[in-house]
Structure formats: C-alpha cells, structure tokens
Amino acid sequence: MMKNTSGINFSLIKVTTEQFAMIANAPVDDKNIKLATRFRFGVNITQRNIGVFVQFIFNETTNTPFLQIEGGCHFQIAQPDWDSLLGEDNKAVILPKGFAAHLLMLCVGTTRGLLHSKTENTPYNKFLIPLINVASLIEKDVVLEFKELSTTEEIISSKT
C-alpha cells in the first residue's frame, strides 16, 4: 500500500491501454502539432477501486489526428480510507482535489510510458506527452456518483 500526502492508503493494481491508434502518417514537421487532452474517473464500488483514464490526441495544424492513446490506471483504496471517501448518503465517492490530482498525475506518467512503448522504433516515437501541471486541471473535489444498473456492475458519472 502507498500513502499519499492526503493520508489515503492505496495501491496501483492494474494498468490498461484503453485506446491506441496511429491514424495517419507521422508528420515530418513536428513544430506545429496540437495536443488535445481528456481525462475521466470511474469507480468500482464492490472492489473499492478508482479508475483514472487520460487520453491524448496528437493533431496536425489542420486538426487532423494522427496519433491517439488513452491509458488507464486502476487503484484500490484501503477499507478504512474508502469508508472516509463515501458521501453522506453512501451514493457517491468523493475524491479530495489533491488526491484526485495525484492519481491523475500517476496516470499521465504511466500513459507517457505506454506511448513510448507502443511507438518505439517508429517515426511516431518523437511525439512525446509533455509535462503537465495536473493540479491546474482539477479545480475541486471529484464526486463519483453511483448509478444503478440491472446487473451487479456499477457505473458512475464524474463531476469535477
């Protein structure tokens, strides 16, 4: 178990490549590349898992994507800390802003490594995920509301 600065004990239990595509030929001129970034959080209530997913889409100046990756990091939260993250009505998990930023930072770094591994020895390997201040991306606590399904699986929606 790892403990971060907010005192929440957690473990990284799984890394996934959710999406990967080399859509078009790698551009020769890499000076005018745009990078789009998206992220989301998910929760598995029964396993006390938090999923963090970050997607990067590399576009040419024409807004034509040529490279795309989405990585996922799946974390398990220790039982006593999980209980402290539950909302008052037990219908949501509330990730403190700093903790959510920490998990996102871990996922961004992991996705950077996934991209390198997937593009090694190809012309796409020169396109790197830059350093990102993830603290500026998460403005407040992340609320993961539980949604009911007809099966035993649970889905959430993320509100940041």
Side-chain angles (χ1 to χ4, degrees):
M1 281 279 164
M2 175 188 255
K3 184 179 260 190
N4 87 334
T5 56
S6 66
I8 299 170
N9 292 295
F10 68 97
S11 298
L12 175 64
I13 58 169
K14 186 176 180 182
V15 172
T16 55
T17 303
E18 299 292 317
Q19 296 180 48
F20 176 73
M22 294 183 280
I23 301 164
N25 291 331
V28 176
D29 177 17
D30 60 348
K31 294 185 182 359
N32 296 312
I33 302 301
K34 295 179 183 177
L35 181 64
T37 305
R38 296 184 187 112
F39 65 91
R40 61 190 168 90
F41 292 84
V43 63
N44 178 314
I45 303 159
T46 57
Q47 299 295 315
R48 299 184 326 272
N49 292 348
I50 301 293
V52 183
F53 307 91
V54 63
Q55 179 183 49
F56 296 96
I57 302 171
F58 292 81
N59 295 292
E60 295 189 71
T61 53
T62 59
N63 287 330
T64 304
F66 63 90
L67 180 62
Q68 176 177 318
I69 190 162
E70 181 179 13
C73 287
H74 306 262
F75 302 95
Q76 186 170 59
I77 310 298
Q79 184 67 58
D81 296 316
W82 178 263
D83 294 341
S84 72
L85 297 176
L86 290 174
E88 289 180 22
D89 57 2
N90 286 339
K91 293 187 179 184
V93 169
I94 302 167
L95 303 178
K97 174 184 169 181
F99 181 61
H102 183 68
L103 296 181
L104 180 58
M105 177 192 65
L106 293 171
C107 190
V108 167
T110 299
T111 304
R112 187 177 289 116
L114 291 171
L115 179 64
H116 169 73
S117 178
K118 294 276 191 187
T119 62
E120 194 168 22
N121 299 319
T122 75
Y124 297 92
N125 194 247
K126 66 182 177 180
F127 301 104
L128 304 175
I129 296 171
L131 298 177
I132 298 171
N133 179 3
V134 296
S136 67
L137 298 176
I138 300 187
E139 298 173 350
K140 56 186 176 180
D141 293 351
V142 175
V143 178
L144 304 171
E145 296 177 342
F146 305 156
K147 303 288 183 186
E148 292 183 29
L149 292 179
S150 58
T151 66
T152 58
E153 208 165 317
E154 295 145 22
I155 291 186
I156 57 83
S157 63
S158 172
K159 293 181 184 176
T160 56

PDB file of all heavy atoms in Angstrom, residues 35-53:
ATOM      1  N   LEU A  35      -1.963  19.224 -29.202  1.00  0.00           N
ATOM      2  CA  LEU A  35      -2.233  18.069 -28.362  1.00  0.00           C
ATOM      3  C   LEU A  35      -3.516  18.310 -27.587  1.00  0.00           C
ATOM      4  O   LEU A  35      -3.623  19.280 -26.833  1.00  0.00           O
ATOM      5  CB  LEU A  35      -1.070  17.819 -27.393  1.00  0.00           C
ATOM      6  CG  LEU A  35      -1.200  16.621 -26.465  1.00  0.00           C
ATOM      7  CD1 LEU A  35      -1.239  15.322 -27.264  1.00  0.00           C
ATOM      8  CD2 LEU A  35      -0.039  16.595 -25.479  1.00  0.00           C
ATOM      9  N   ALA A  36      -4.495  17.449 -27.793  1.00  0.00           N
ATOM     10  CA  ALA A  36      -5.755  17.520 -27.046  1.00  0.00           C
ATOM     11  C   ALA A  36      -5.683  16.501 -25.910  1.00  0.00           C
ATOM     12  O   ALA A  36      -5.180  15.394 -26.088  1.00  0.00           O
ATOM     13  CB  ALA A  36      -6.932  17.209 -27.960  1.00  0.00           C
ATOM     14  N   THR A  37      -6.184  16.892 -24.746  1.00  0.00           N
ATOM     15  CA  THR A  37      -6.140  16.038 -23.562  1.00  0.00           C
ATOM     16  C   THR A  37      -7.522  15.941 -22.951  1.00  0.00           C
ATOM     17  O   THR A  37      -8.216  16.949 -22.817  1.00  0.00           O
ATOM     18  CB  THR A  37      -5.169  16.623 -22.512  1.00  0.00           C
ATOM     19  OG1 THR A  37      -3.899  16.811 -23.116  1.00  0.00           O
ATOM     20  CG2 THR A  37      -5.035  15.712 -21.324  1.00  0.00           C
ATOM     21  N   ARG A  38      -7.911  14.730 -22.575  1.00  0.00           N
ATOM     22  CA  ARG A  38      -9.167  14.496 -21.859  1.00  0.00           C
ATOM     23  C   ARG A  38      -8.874  13.528 -20.725  1.00  0.00           C
ATOM     24  O   ARG A  38      -8.014  12.659 -20.858  1.00  0.00           O
ATOM     25  CB  ARG A  38     -10.214  13.868 -22.777  1.00  0.00           C
ATOM     26  CG  ARG A  38     -10.638  14.739 -23.916  1.00  0.00           C
ATOM     27  CD  ARG A  38     -11.747  14.066 -24.719  1.00  0.00           C
ATOM     28  NE  ARG A  38     -12.028  14.854 -25.898  1.00  0.00           N
ATOM     29  CZ  ARG A  38     -11.772  14.484 -27.136  1.00  0.00           C
ATOM     30  NH1 ARG A  38     -11.252  13.305 -27.385  1.00  0.00           N
ATOM     31  NH2 ARG A  38     -12.064  15.258 -28.144  1.00  0.00           N
ATOM     32  N   PHE A  39      -9.605  13.663 -19.628  1.00  0.00           N
ATOM     33  CA  PHE A  39      -9.457  12.704 -18.545  1.00  0.00           C
ATOM     34  C   PHE A  39     -10.803  12.447 -17.902  1.00  0.00           C
ATOM     35  O   PHE A  39     -11.734  13.229 -18.023  1.00  0.00           O
ATOM     36  CB  PHE A  39      -8.434  13.171 -17.498  1.00  0.00           C
ATOM     37  CG  PHE A  39      -8.833  14.407 -16.752  1.00  0.00           C
ATOM     38  CD1 PHE A  39      -9.545  14.317 -15.560  1.00  0.00           C
ATOM     39  CD2 PHE A  39      -8.496  15.657 -17.218  1.00  0.00           C
ATOM     40  CE1 PHE A  39      -9.912  15.450 -14.859  1.00  0.00           C
ATOM     41  CE2 PHE A  39      -8.862  16.800 -16.538  1.00  0.00           C
ATOM     42  CZ  PHE A  39      -9.566  16.693 -15.353  1.00  0.00           C
ATOM     43  N   ARG A  40     -10.878  11.289 -17.248  1.00  0.00           N
ATOM     44  CA  ARG A  40     -12.109  10.914 -16.549  1.00  0.00           C
ATOM     45  C   ARG A  40     -11.762   9.967 -15.412  1.00  0.00           C
ATOM     46  O   ARG A  40     -10.680   9.374 -15.385  1.00  0.00           O
ATOM     47  CB  ARG A  40     -13.115  10.278 -17.503  1.00  0.00           C
ATOM     48  CG  ARG A  40     -12.648   9.007 -18.169  1.00  0.00           C
ATOM     49  CD  ARG A  40     -13.581   8.529 -19.292  1.00  0.00           C
ATOM     50  NE  ARG A  40     -12.959   7.482 -20.077  1.00  0.00           N
ATOM     51  CZ  ARG A  40     -13.044   6.197 -19.825  1.00  0.00           C
ATOM     52  NH1 ARG A  40     -13.745   5.771 -18.802  1.00  0.00           N
ATOM     53  NH2 ARG A  40     -12.446   5.308 -20.601  1.00  0.00           N
ATOM     54  N   PHE A  41     -12.696   9.862 -14.470  1.00  0.00           N
ATOM     55  CA  PHE A  41     -12.548   8.979 -13.324  1.00  0.00           C
ATOM     56  C   PHE A  41     -13.702   7.989 -13.321  1.00  0.00           C
ATOM     57  O   PHE A  41     -14.787   8.300 -13.800  1.00  0.00           O
ATOM     58  CB  PHE A  41     -12.587   9.772 -12.006  1.00  0.00           C
ATOM     59  CG  PHE A  41     -11.399  10.662 -11.797  1.00  0.00           C
ATOM     60  CD1 PHE A  41     -11.336  11.930 -12.350  1.00  0.00           C
ATOM     61  CD2 PHE A  41     -10.338  10.225 -11.026  1.00  0.00           C
ATOM     62  CE1 PHE A  41     -10.243  12.741 -12.154  1.00  0.00           C
ATOM     63  CE2 PHE A  41      -9.243  11.040 -10.811  1.00  0.00           C
ATOM     64  CZ  PHE A  41      -9.193  12.300 -11.380  1.00  0.00           C
ATOM     65  N   GLY A  42     -13.471   6.812 -12.760  1.00  0.00           N
ATOM     66  CA  GLY A  42     -14.522   5.820 -12.601  1.00  0.00           C
ATOM     67  C   GLY A  42     -14.351   5.124 -11.267  1.00  0.00           C
ATOM     68  O   GLY A  42     -13.338   5.290 -10.590  1.00  0.00           O
ATOM     69  N   VAL A  43     -15.348   4.357 -10.878  1.00  0.00           N
ATOM     70  CA  VAL A  43     -15.297   3.669  -9.589  1.00  0.00           C
ATOM     71  C   VAL A  43     -15.934   2.293  -9.710  1.00  0.00           C
ATOM     72  O   VAL A  43     -16.898   2.112 -10.444  1.00  0.00           O
ATOM     73  CB  VAL A  43     -15.995   4.506  -8.482  1.00  0.00           C
ATOM     74  CG1 VAL A  43     -17.461   4.687  -8.769  1.00  0.00           C
ATOM     75  CG2 VAL A  43     -15.790   3.917  -7.103  1.00  0.00           C
ATOM     76  N   ASN A  44     -15.348   1.330  -9.022  1.00  0.00           N
ATOM     77  CA  ASN A  44     -15.948   0.018  -8.830  1.00  0.00           C
ATOM     78  C   ASN A  44     -16.184  -0.094  -7.334  1.00  0.00           C
ATOM     79  O   ASN A  44     -15.231  -0.233  -6.548  1.00  0.00           O
ATOM     80  CB  ASN A  44     -15.012  -1.089  -9.325  1.00  0.00           C
ATOM     81  CG  ASN A  44     -15.570  -2.473  -9.100  1.00  0.00           C
ATOM     82  OD1 ASN A  44     -16.076  -2.779  -8.022  1.00  0.00           O
ATOM     83  ND2 ASN A  44     -15.466  -3.322 -10.112  1.00  0.00           N
ATOM     84  N   ILE A  45     -17.431  -0.018  -6.932  1.00  0.00           N
ATOM     85  CA  ILE A  45     -17.787   0.065  -5.520  1.00  0.00           C
ATOM     86  C   ILE A  45     -17.415  -1.210  -4.773  1.00  0.00           C
ATOM     87  O   ILE A  45     -16.848  -1.164  -3.683  1.00  0.00           O
ATOM     88  CB  ILE A  45     -19.290   0.350  -5.367  1.00  0.00           C
ATOM     89  CG1 ILE A  45     -19.666   1.629  -6.103  1.00  0.00           C
ATOM     90  CG2 ILE A  45     -19.681   0.455  -3.906  1.00  0.00           C
ATOM     91  CD1 ILE A  45     -21.129   1.732  -6.426  1.00  0.00           C
ATOM     92  N   THR A  46     -17.734  -2.354  -5.351  1.00  0.00           N
ATOM     93  CA  THR A  46     -17.532  -3.618  -4.635  1.00  0.00           C
ATOM     94  C   THR A  46     -16.054  -3.940  -4.427  1.00  0.00           C
ATOM     95  O   THR A  46     -15.702  -4.587  -3.455  1.00  0.00           O
ATOM     96  CB  THR A  46     -18.219  -4.784  -5.371  1.00  0.00           C
ATOM     97  OG1 THR A  46     -17.718  -4.846  -6.705  1.00  0.00           O
ATOM     98  CG2 THR A  46     -19.729  -4.605  -5.395  1.00  0.00           C
ATOM     99  N   GLN A  47     -15.194  -3.482  -5.316  1.00  0.00           N
ATOM    100  CA  GLN A  47     -13.759  -3.752  -5.208  1.00  0.00           C
ATOM    101  C   GLN A  47     -12.979  -2.602  -4.567  1.00  0.00           C
ATOM    102  O   GLN A  47     -11.771  -2.707  -4.396  1.00  0.00           O
ATOM    103  CB  GLN A  47     -13.172  -4.050  -6.596  1.00  0.00           C
ATOM    104  CG  GLN A  47     -13.772  -5.248  -7.278  1.00  0.00           C
ATOM    105  CD  GLN A  47     -13.463  -6.526  -6.529  1.00  0.00           C
ATOM    106  OE1 GLN A  47     -12.350  -6.773  -6.104  1.00  0.00           O
ATOM    107  NE2 GLN A  47     -14.487  -7.358  -6.346  1.00  0.00           N
ATOM    108  N   ARG A  48     -13.663  -1.481  -4.276  1.00  0.00           N
ATOM    109  CA  ARG A  48     -13.025  -0.274  -3.734  1.00  0.00           C
ATOM    110  C   ARG A  48     -11.944   0.245  -4.692  1.00  0.00           C
ATOM    111  O   ARG A  48     -10.868   0.648  -4.277  1.00  0.00           O
ATOM    112  CB  ARG A  48     -12.413  -0.527  -2.346  1.00  0.00           C
ATOM    113  CG  ARG A  48     -13.367  -0.952  -1.283  1.00  0.00           C
ATOM    114  CD  ARG A  48     -12.720  -1.083   0.088  1.00  0.00           C
ATOM    115  NE  ARG A  48     -11.351  -1.533   0.115  1.00  0.00           N
ATOM    116  CZ  ARG A  48     -10.931  -2.797   0.149  1.00  0.00           C
ATOM    117  NH1 ARG A  48     -11.807  -3.773   0.154  1.00  0.00           N
ATOM    118  NH2 ARG A  48      -9.649  -3.084   0.202  1.00  0.00           N
ATOM    119  N   ASN A  49     -12.254   0.213  -5.974  1.00  0.00           N
ATOM    120  CA  ASN A  49     -11.300   0.640  -6.995  1.00  0.00           C
ATOM    121  C   ASN A  49     -11.699   1.983  -7.587  1.00  0.00           C
ATOM    122  O   ASN A  49     -12.881   2.242  -7.811  1.00  0.00           O
ATOM    123  CB  ASN A  49     -11.224  -0.378  -8.133  1.00  0.00           C
ATOM    124  CG  ASN A  49     -10.609  -1.689  -7.697  1.00  0.00           C
ATOM    125  OD1 ASN A  49     -10.036  -1.801  -6.625  1.00  0.00           O
ATOM    126  ND2 ASN A  49     -10.742  -2.698  -8.533  1.00  0.00           N
ATOM    127  N   ILE A  50     -10.684   2.771  -7.864  1.00  0.00           N
ATOM    128  CA  ILE A  50     -10.849   4.027  -8.588  1.00  0.00           C
ATOM    129  C   ILE A  50     -10.090   3.871  -9.903  1.00  0.00           C
ATOM    130  O   ILE A  50      -8.921   3.478  -9.902  1.00  0.00           O
ATOM    131  CB  ILE A  50     -10.270   5.231  -7.804  1.00  0.00           C
ATOM    132  CG1 ILE A  50     -10.950   5.373  -6.439  1.00  0.00           C
ATOM    133  CG2 ILE A  50     -10.361   6.514  -8.626  1.00  0.00           C
ATOM    134  CD1 ILE A  50     -12.407   5.750  -6.493  1.00  0.00           C
ATOM    135  N   GLY A  51     -10.747   4.152 -11.010  1.00  0.00           N
ATOM    136  CA  GLY A  51     -10.095   4.132 -12.312  1.00  0.00           C
ATOM    137  C   GLY A  51      -9.850   5.555 -12.768  1.00  0.00           C
ATOM    138  O   GLY A  51     -10.725   6.419 -12.630  1.00  0.00           O
ATOM    139  N   VAL A  52      -8.666   5.803 -13.278  1.00  0.00           N
ATOM    140  CA  VAL A  52      -8.318   7.111 -13.825  1.00  0.00           C
ATOM    141  C   VAL A  52      -7.893   6.871 -15.264  1.00  0.00           C
ATOM    142  O   VAL A  52      -7.066   5.992 -15.539  1.00  0.00           O
ATOM    143  CB  VAL A  52      -7.179   7.783 -13.032  1.00  0.00           C
ATOM    144  CG1 VAL A  52      -6.884   9.166 -13.582  1.00  0.00           C
ATOM    145  CG2 VAL A  52      -7.527   7.849 -11.546  1.00  0.00           C
ATOM    146  N   PHE A  53      -8.471   7.638 -16.178  1.00  0.00           N
ATOM    147  CA  PHE A  53      -8.223   7.453 -17.601  1.00  0.00           C
ATOM    148  C   PHE A  53      -7.840   8.793 -18.213  1.00  0.00           C
ATOM    149  O   PHE A  53      -8.514   9.796 -17.980  1.00  0.00           O
ATOM    150  CB  PHE A  53      -9.475   6.896 -18.288  1.00  0.00           C
ATOM    151  CG  PHE A  53      -9.983   5.654 -17.627  1.00  0.00           C
ATOM    152  CD1 PHE A  53     -10.921   5.717 -16.605  1.00  0.00           C
ATOM    153  CD2 PHE A  53      -9.493   4.407 -17.993  1.00  0.00           C
ATOM    154  CE1 PHE A  53     -11.375   4.574 -15.975  1.00  0.00           C
ATOM    155  CE2 PHE A  53      -9.942   3.254 -17.368  1.00  0.00           C
ATOM    156  CZ  PHE A  53     -10.882   3.332 -16.352  1.00  0.00           C
TER     157      PHE A  53
END
